[in-house]
Amino acid sequence: ITSKRGDSKDILKSVSSIIEEVEREFHQPGIIDERRKSHFVGNILPNATRLNKREERMLGSLEGLKATLQKKGERVQGTAKDDVDKFLWKDEGSVWASFSATIDVAAARLLAEM
């Protein structure tokens, strides 16, 4: 290595260029995200705590809502082609609304995405 002043700038520029090249080569956020999701679905979810009685009741009550929606619900005008189905109905002086969507991925995958 010589002691010329311009040489240190050249060395810094070369090292910077090498670091940029390494970063470009190894930058793979999609693969890392997939690994994290796989770990979450494979290792974390199976060890999740069981639902408590209150949570079980809440999920059970959704079946009643689904039945009511099918009997009384009227689709909101202009939403037939939307990704989310929107319904309204009146019952004993109250106005109810419901929204539903069909998701084409497994629940575990969806939770991992969130």
Side-chain angles (χ1 to χ4, degrees), residues 2-39:
T2 61
S3 61
K4 292 182 184 175
R5 203 166 162 84
D7 289 343
S8 62
K9 290 181 181 179
D10 291 339
I11 291 171
L12 183 60
K13 189 175 179 181
S14 294
V15 170
S16 178
S17 177
I18 290 170
I19 291 173
E20 287 175 7
E21 193 64 33
V22 168
E23 186 179 38
R24 228 185 338 264
E25 180 67 29
F26 291 100
H27 183 72
Q28 301 173 337
I31 292 172
I32 293 168
D33 286 348
E34 277 303 315
R35 287 180 184 163
R36 290 181 74 197
K37 282 189 262 182
S38 294
H39 172 74

Side-chain angles (χ1 to χ4, degrees), residues 35-49:
R35 287 180 184 163
R36 290 181 74 197
K37 282 189 262 182
S38 294
H39 172 74
F40 182 80
V41 171
N43 299 331
I44 305 297
L45 279 180
N47 298 319
T49 58

